[in-house]
Amino acid sequence: MGKTIKLISGDGEMFEVEEAVAFQSNIIKSLADEDNADDCIPLPRVDSQILSKVLEFCRKHANSPSVHTKFAAIPSELCPKHDGSAAGASSSESSSAHSETCRACYDAVMKLVQWDLEFVKVDLDLIHHLLKAANYLDIEDLMFMAVEGAANAIRGNNPEEIRKLFDLENDFTPEEEKEILKEYSWLDDPFEP
Amino acid sequence: MAALVKRGGSDDIYPGGPFFSNLVDAGLLVSLARTVDVYCPPSKRSRVTAPLILSVGEKAAEGKQQPRSIDTLPDECLFEILRRLPGDKERSNSACVSKRWLMLLSSICSSQLIGRMKPSLQSVNKPLPDLNEHPSVNDQEIQNNGFLTRRLEAEEATDIRLSAIALGTCSRGGLGKLFIQGNDSTKVSDVGLSAIAHACPSLRALSMWKVPLVTDAGLQEIANECPLLEKLDLCHCPQISDKGLIAVALKCPNLMTLTIEASSNISNKALQFVGRCCSKLKYVTIKDCPEVGDQGIASLVSSPSPSLERIKLQALNISDLALAVIGQYGKNLIDLSLVSLKKVGEKGFWVMGNTCGLQKLRSISITCCSGLTDIGLQAVAKGSPLLKQLFVRKSCYLSDAGLRAFAEKARALENFHLENCNRVTFLGVLSVLSNCPKLNSLALMRCLGIRDLPYAPAQLPSCMSLESLIIQDCPDVTSASLQMVGKICPQLQKIDLGGQAGVTDALLIPLIENSKVGLVEVNLRGCVNVTDALITILARAHGSTLKMLNLDGCTKITDRSLMAIANCCSVLDDLDLSGCSIGNYGVAVLASAKQLSLRVLSLASCSITTKCLPFLANMGQSVVGLNLQQCRLITSDAVAVLEQKLWWCDIIS
């Protein structure tokens, strides 16, 4: 489709993207909906490097079912198998019936999810910036995946490692730390798998 | 568009570390400052229930620019990340990272946790995995059965500890009972309490003593999230008012025990709700609440489903009316305790008794109520035919006539206890002894009016049921009266004459000899005139039954008594020889007695030396408590050696 949106990043670079891609961000969508002559949307809080990454994500997710919403609510028009052939504006019951049994929809979503997981398997710096961008631009899917990426980074690490990873300061006093560890001492049980 | 462009603050994506690196004092909950450089679209706010913890002011203060630090993320984002760590190990590891993480983690309800997504390609026919589903909720509910108890005292009581508890007990069986004992500087606040509320739905008992920072908001959180609450204690929590208590009353139908102490903000209104909504309420204690009056008590007692069994009212501004209502509606009351009720008068007690509503009352305790008079006591007996226990303390108007009238009506009385009732004399006591066929225990403490009778009454009553006699610190009671008591009560098993310095051997001996059943407990603390002869007779006569013997301060007791005890006492359990004039030989004899298996032995202030310690060491497995305080001739090294030998024993020195 033709309609494009112009986005200007914080460091002045301009990105032109399709509406469907840009409208993944609810903020951009609501701004664009506002009646104004200017068709350039400035995003001062996002710099170009991050914005390009975000747009890459949005491109992939445009016209795909949103992964974080219930699978059951995939409208049938988004199904790759039944592309456009299903009746439009299906009610939620029929679409749930559709997606529960539609292997194609399931596969498509899973593929997307795998892509997403790879996308966020990057260094924490990037995840951090992506998170903030997703929060700022209100892109639910990116938010979801960035959060998942961050959670993955935390899993399996002890507190000191987590602190190193995220550059955090230990602000507990030694007494406080002792108190907290009292509650979790059972977790060091050698018989615990 | 306008909103975006006109926003103040820097244009960079990272607002600068200082916002969050100034970590919050755990007790403060600060509202979101307008100057915070983070954009949180309003549509998202409803997702997060975590308290936003940000530091006030101090924007660019310490300027530690850490662009990478995850600390610069808004709480919302961090909340979403932490929600995805359902495993205990992960959560506890994250909790130890920093205060902010701990607080956020503890504010996540168990229902908000997201389990790991595990898509399985095998089952297409199964419903597709719902990414918003919470697979582990059911398991967690089963595990949250409230098995665990936590007690926090003074310095341990902080919001951080509470958050750690909330997190740690979640899937280990759940927190059932929480006791917080603080002091004036305790920093426990609503934040910590909310953390507990969110994570411990199985909380059954909450007891807070001196937590000045907790307010109604915290209590409301508990009420909302812990519907199984059965016991609530609020002592010295000045900020808690009617609002919090009403929330508990409305949301916790299982409430059984309620204790409110020293709370100036709780008034009749809250009690009205409690009375109306808590149909299972059984035990209520209200102490020192100046705003609570007759109406509150009346609504508590006269609730539609009277389940109250025990009430204690202390230092309240209630009057005769409250007592009248109690008398009328307390159908299921078993135990009533009235302390320091200054506005209650004679009429109150009279009405309470005469309405005859307290039919099930078994025990009544009246302390420092100047309104208690003879007439009142008589009415109490009349209204409660099943009364078994009477405790009266500090009553200046109660006299013999009242006792007699009471005793005549209270046929079921088993336990009679008077303290500081100075108008009562021995005649009154005798009337109780003679009129109450089931009287089991009689206690008279500090009753200055009880003196030896100048003459013996013509006909002595006989009280076959009395088993326990306690007369403490009644200076004018000497052996003469006791002798009389001994004649009256042949079934005596427990004698406590603490502080009765006037008793002598010659007149105690008949008391001992008259006891046909066999004395079990004898307490002669402070009876300085007691000598070895008496103990010898006691040991010989009652050695087979004597379990407890207290000779604290009986300076005339020497080793001879110990020999008698060693020879004759076979079941002696608890022996207190503090301040007696015994020596090493006596201790050696005592320790070597094979048939004796003492559990607790006190030799405080005795002039024993290190030589007897080896004998003590051989005393055997039964000894669990040994008191060697003030034994100046025993060195601490020697005690240390003894402690090693008797490692199971608690030795005080």
Side-chain angles (χ1 to χ4, degrees):
Chain A
M1 305 277 284
K3 190 111 191 271
T4 58
I5 301 278
K6 294 197 186 71
L7 304 167
I8 302 184
S9 72
D11 45 359
E13 214 177 301
M14 185 168 83
F15 294 81
E16 191 162 345
V17 288
E18 289 171 15
E19 241 183 27
V21 173
F23 281 5
Q24 296 268 310
S25 156
N26 293 331
I27 293 304
I28 297 180
K29 189 164 174 198
S30 59
L31 288 173
D33 280 345
E34 276 175 31
D35 221 8
N36 48 47
D38 210 336
D39 61 351
C40 255
I41 297 178
L43 300 171
R45 310 277 304 281
V46 191
D47 70 1
S48 52
Q49 187 202 7
I50 304 299
L51 189 53
S52 63
K53 267 282 185 180
V54 169
L55 291 175
E56 184 191 334
F57 183 91
C58 293
R59 260 182 222 112
K60 189 77 185 180
H61 277 250
N63 300 321
S64 295
S66 169
V67 288
H68 83 287
T69 53
K70 292 187 206 260
F71 275 75
I74 299 173
S76 50
E77 53 262 28
L78 287 182
C79 172
K81 198 157 124 194
H82 309 105
D83 226 329
S85 62
S90 37
S91 65
S92 54
E93 292 91 57
S94 66
S95 59
S96 66
H98 161 88
S99 52
E100 258 175 47
T101 51
C102 178
R103 182 62 195 249
C105 277
Y106 179 80
D107 282 345
V109 171
M110 280 302 115
K111 237 194 200 160
L112 195 59
V113 164
Q114 300 295 348
W115 184 90
D116 282 347
L117 285 172
E118 283 302 316
F119 186 76
V120 292
K121 251 195 206 151
V122 292
D123 65 84
L124 281 177
D125 246 345
L126 192 54
I127 291 189
H128 172 238
H129 289 310
L130 284 176
L131 248 177
K132 294 188 98 166
N135 191 29
Y136 175 60
L137 295 170
D138 196 7
I139 304 175
E140 292 198 60
D141 287 346
L142 180 59
M143 178 77 168
F144 179 79
M145 290 325 296
V147 162
E148 189 68 42
N152 275 330
I154 296 175
R155 279 190 200 110
N157 286 325
N158 67 31
E160 194 46 52
E161 286 162 8
I162 298 178
R163 277 187 220 121
K164 251 193 264 176
L165 267 178
F166 291 103
D167 249 342
L168 291 170
E169 219 178 273
N170 181 3
D171 57 345
F172 290 119
T173 66
E175 295 84 30
E176 285 169 348
E177 220 170 335
K178 220 174 36 167
E179 291 288 309
I180 298 178
L181 286 174
K182 255 192 230 172
E183 284 297 323
Y184 302 123
S185 54
W186 68 286
L187 286 168
D188 294 327
D189 189 341
F191 296 107
E192 200 62 29
Chain B
M1 175 95 87
L4 249 177
V5 173
K6 284 190 187 151
R7 271 193 74 75
S10 74
D11 283 346
D12 297 315
I13 201 166
Y14 37 89
F19 285 114
F20 303 96
S21 61
N22 250 341
L23 285 156
V24 56
D25 185 3
L28 282 173
L29 172 61
V30 180
S31 61
L32 179 55
R34 295 293 293 162
T35 50
V36 169
D37 217 6
V38 158
Y39 180 72
C40 286
S43 62
K44 286 208 177 171
R45 251 181 213 141
S46 52
R47 272 207 290 186
V48 179
T49 53
L52 293 176
I53 303 171
L54 305 163
S55 70
V56 180
E58 300 186 277
K59 249 170 82 165
E62 278 114 22
K64 246 203 254 171
Q65 284 284 335
Q66 292 192 342
R68 196 187 138 165
S69 171
I70 207 168
D71 245 4
T72 59
L73 276 178
D75 277 349
E76 214 179 53
C77 296
L78 193 52
F79 184 84
E80 285 296 320
I81 296 176
L82 295 174
R83 256 176 90 193
R84 282 161 172 78
L85 301 171
D88 297 328
K89 188 90 186 165
E90 293 152 359
R91 295 182 82 205
S92 68
N93 280 335
S94 315
C96 299
V97 169
S98 79
K99 278 186 191 170
R100 182 181 172 215
W101 281 43
L102 175 64
M103 293 315 214
L104 270 177
L105 267 169
S106 60
S107 62
I108 302 175
C109 299
S110 53
S111 56
Q112 290 176 309
L113 285 175
I114 295 181
R116 243 210 145 115
M117 179 179 81
K118 282 192 195 112
S120 85
L121 285 175
Q122 293 109 5
S123 50
V124 179
N125 292 328
K126 259 203 230 162
L128 295 172
D130 180 354
L131 289 179
N132 279 339
E133 199 182 71
H134 316 300
S136 49
V137 161
N138 282 331
D139 297 352
Q140 285 200 341
E141 277 175 12
I142 293 171
Q143 286 168 2
N144 251 330
N145 274 336
F147 292 123
L148 301 173
T149 301
R150 290 287 181 272
R151 275 172 215 277
L152 299 182
E153 287 178 21
E155 289 80 38
E156 296 178 313
T158 58
D159 283 338
I160 290 193
R161 183 71 201 275
L162 283 178
S163 304
I165 290 175
L167 276 174
T169 56
C170 230
S171 50
R172 272 208 282 160
L175 188 67
K177 299 183 188 172
L178 178 63
F179 301 92
I180 306 176
Q181 190 172 347
N183 49 38
D184 291 326
S185 54
T186 298
K187 297 239 178 72
V188 169
S189 75
D190 292 337
V191 172
L193 214 58
S194 308
I196 296 277
H198 288 307
C200 308
S202 55
L203 192 68
R204 286 197 315 277
L206 175 64
S207 171
M208 296 197 286
W209 197 84
K210 266 211 178 154
V211 282
L213 295 177
V214 168
T215 71
D216 289 329
L219 198 57
Q220 279 170 333
E221 287 281 333
I222 295 268
N224 284 336
E225 311 263 0
C226 308
L228 299 177
L229 198 67
E230 287 175 12
K231 179 168 169 208
L232 180 64
D233 286 347
L234 300 167
C235 303
H236 295 274
C237 303
Q239 295 206 55
I240 294 196
S241 74
D242 287 343
K243 220 164 96 176
L245 198 55
I246 290 176
V248 172
L250 287 172
K251 303 254 171 81
C252 304
N254 286 342
L255 197 67
M256 258 201 320
T257 308
L258 178 65
T259 303
I260 308 172
E261 192 180 315
S263 195
S264 49
N265 288 327
I266 294 194
S267 73
N268 292 332
K269 191 162 153 223
L271 291 181
Q272 275 170 5
F273 274 88
V274 171
R276 216 185 311 146
C277 308
C278 301
S279 55
K280 295 191 189 171
L281 197 61
K282 277 196 190 168
Y283 313 116
V284 172
T285 302
I286 307 180
K287 194 169 147 183
D288 241 333
C289 300
E291 296 294 317
V292 168
D294 290 335
Q295 231 186 345
I297 304 298
S299 43
L300 254 187
V301 181
S302 59
S303 69
S305 48
S307 56
L308 270 180
E309 286 182 11
R310 200 182 298 162
I311 296 187
K312 179 167 172 183
L313 304 172
Q314 181 166 343
L316 301 174
N317 290 333
I318 56 175
S319 71
D320 298 339
L321 181 61
L323 247 59
V325 175
I326 292 177
Q328 175 82 24
Y329 289 101
K331 293 197 174 35
N332 285 325
L333 266 184
I334 295 178
D335 190 333
L336 179 60
S337 174
L338 306 169
V339 183
S340 298
L341 300 175
K342 295 194 169 49
K343 290 195 184 165
V344 169
E346 184 180 61
K347 199 160 151 216
F349 287 99
W350 185 85
V351 173
M352 185 174 81
N354 277 311
T355 49
C356 296
L358 295 172
Q359 292 291 323
K360 289 196 186 169
L361 195 68
R362 287 211 295 268
S363 164
I364 183 165
S365 166
I366 306 168
T367 306
C368 284
C369 291
S370 49
L372 182 66
T373 59
D374 295 339
I375 299 179
L377 197 60
Q378 183 186 11
V380 165
K382 186 175 158 201
S384 310
L386 296 179
L387 196 66
K388 284 196 183 156
Q389 293 186 1
L390 175 72
F391 297 87
V392 178
R393 296 181 183 93
K394 276 222 175 109
S395 168
C396 27
Y397 297 117
L398 198 60
S399 72
D400 291 341
L403 280 192
R404 192 176 319 125
F406 172 82
E408 278 164 12
K409 291 268 158 70
R411 309 297 294 176
L413 196 69
E414 288 179 12
N415 196 330
F416 184 74
H417 184 121
L418 283 184
E419 261 181 60
N420 287 102
C421 297
N422 298 331
R423 278 185 71 187
V424 169
T425 73
F426 210 81
L427 283 176
V429 175
L430 279 181
S431 59
V432 172
L433 281 173
S434 50
N435 281 318
C436 300
K438 294 194 189 164
L439 193 65
N440 195 299
S441 155
L442 174 69
L444 303 167
M445 297 185 193
R446 289 177 291 276
C447 295
L448 305 177
I450 300 190
R451 344 187 127 80
D452 289 344
L453 292 174
Y455 57 89
Q459 212 182 4
L460 270 184
S462 163
C463 181
M464 302 298 289
S465 57
L466 196 71
E467 285 180 5
S468 163
L469 175 69
I470 303 176
I471 303 183
Q472 282 186 8
D473 300 312
C474 301
D476 293 325
V477 172
T478 63
S479 310
S481 328
L482 293 172
Q483 198 179 0
M484 208 185 311
V485 170
K487 284 200 197 131
I488 302 173
C489 313
Q491 305 286 333
L492 219 49
Q493 287 182 357
K494 298 182 191 175
I495 301 181
D496 183 335
L497 301 170
Q500 298 299 118
V503 301
T504 61
D505 277 2
L507 301 168
L508 260 184
I509 290 174
L511 178 67
I512 292 173
E513 285 176 345
N514 273 327
S515 170
K516 307 227 170 21
V517 174
L519 289 174
V520 174
E521 289 181 14
V522 175
N523 185 333
L524 300 169
R525 171 184 64 85
C527 299
V528 292
N529 289 320
V530 165
T531 69
D532 294 329
L534 181 73
I535 304 301
T536 313
I537 294 178
L538 177 64
R540 283 203 196 122
H542 300 285
S544 52
T545 55
L546 195 64
K547 282 196 182 157
M548 193 277 272
L549 179 60
N550 185 331
L551 299 167
D552 184 350
C554 301
T555 47
K556 293 190 181 168
I557 302 293
T558 69
D559 290 343
R560 265 188 64 203
S561 306
L562 291 185
M563 276 162 55
I565 292 173
N567 278 332
C568 310
C569 295
S570 48
V571 293
L572 196 60
D573 210 51
D574 185 339
L575 180 60
D576 190 336
L577 298 164
S578 316
C580 298
S581 310
I582 54 174
N584 292 340
Y585 181 69
V587 174
V589 167
L590 190 66
S592 331
K594 288 289 169 244
Q595 85 279 13
L596 212 53
S597 45
L598 276 176
R599 266 185 53 244
V600 178
L601 175 62
S602 174
L603 298 167
S605 308
C606 293
S607 45
I608 48 177
T609 72
T610 322
K611 282 198 197 148
C612 72
L613 291 186
F615 292 102
L616 284 176
N618 288 332
M619 264 180 91
Q621 294 267 347
S622 61
V623 153
V624 294
L626 184 58
N627 187 343
L628 295 171
Q629 282 179 315
Q630 310 278 343
C631 294
R632 294 203 185 82
L633 298 169
I634 295 186
T635 60
S636 41
D637 295 338
V639 173
V641 170
L642 187 65
E643 271 171 358
Q644 278 191 343
K645 285 220 182 102
L646 296 176
W647 52 267
W648 59 87
C649 180
D650 181 18
I651 302 183
I652 323 173
S653 61

